[in-house]
Amino acid sequence: SSSSSSSSGSSGNANGCGVLGQEPELVQSCYLPCTPDNIPIMGKIKTGVDGCYVAAGHGCWGILMGPATGEAMASLILTGESSKYVDLTPFCPDRFGLD
């Protein structure tokens, strides 16, 4: 018996198109955000909304830095100071002069 299938191995229909009859639009959703100096931004935003904190820009190291970032940010939010384990000074959000 003869059957028609896509040679690309995709899960589209017999003519190689996506399930809706056209090729799907492919976009990337998992960018690894990094800062210009490749050092994460962690701390309180000093201008704008009061009580606004940021912890971002860890790039591919985010999954590994997560526990330390969480501990440091929790300490900052609750006590207003860096934790005894992580000094947040090098990660200050205003180091780029955007405030």
Side-chain angles (χ1 to χ4, degrees):
S1 77
S2 153
S3 67
S4 176
S5 67
S6 172
S7 62
S8 67
S10 68
S11 60
N13 63 22
N15 65 9
C17 291
V19 295
L20 298 177
Q22 59 188 10
E23 285 299 316
E25 179 181 345
L26 303 176
V27 295
Q28 182 175 350
S29 63
C30 57
Y31 293 102
L32 299 175
C34 293
T35 61
D37 61 3
N38 292 316
I39 298 173
I41 298 171
M42 296 189 294
K44 185 174 184 175
I45 303 296
K46 295 189 170 125
T47 59
V49 180
D50 189 40
C52 182
Y53 296 83
V54 64
H58 293 73
C60 66
W61 299 104
I63 192 78
L64 296 174
M65 293 179 164
T69 297
E71 191 275 335
M73 292 301 296
S75 177
L76 179 64
I77 292 166
L78 293 174
T79 69
E81 300 177 7
S82 293
S83 73
K84 65 181 182 177
Y85 303 107
V86 179
D87 176 13
L88 290 174
T89 305
F91 307 106
C92 185
D94 62 0
R95 72 181 186 269
F96 298 108
L98 301 175
D99 285 348

